[in-house]
Amino acid sequence: MKEKIDNNSRSLKWEENGELAHKDLSELLERLKNVESDHTSSELSRLETKLNIKD
């Protein structure tokens, strides 16, 4: 059985300092929150809040 490929898939952009680009990191956190358990999702939200404060 062939695995479905998401047409919205794309490569992640990495900054020169080795960190994931802010936009890609935010999108990744959002996607993870949608599939993780409630506890893990709330931890991801907390991490995302810290990321947004840092900016």
Side-chain angles (χ1 to χ4, degrees):
M1 178 183 231
K2 277 192 167 183
E3 189 175 319
K4 290 183 181 179
I5 298 175
D6 183 3
N7 289 335
N8 293 329
S9 295
R10 62 181 180 84
S11 297
L12 298 174
K13 181 179 177 193
W14 296 91
E15 301 292 346
E16 287 185 21
N17 63 5
E19 293 187 7
L20 191 56
H22 183 270
K23 181 181 178 204
D24 287 342
L25 182 54
S26 294
E27 288 177 10
L28 177 60
L29 288 171
E30 277 301 314
R31 288 180 182 212
L32 286 171
K33 286 191 311 186
N34 290 331
V35 298
E36 291 293 338
S37 68
D38 288 342
H39 173 67
T40 303
S41 181
S42 67
E43 289 298 311
L44 289 166
S45 293
R46 190 174 61 83
L47 178 60
E48 188 174 32
T49 300
K50 281 185 169 183
L51 171 69
N52 291 332
I53 291 172
K54 185 179 175 182
D55 295 340

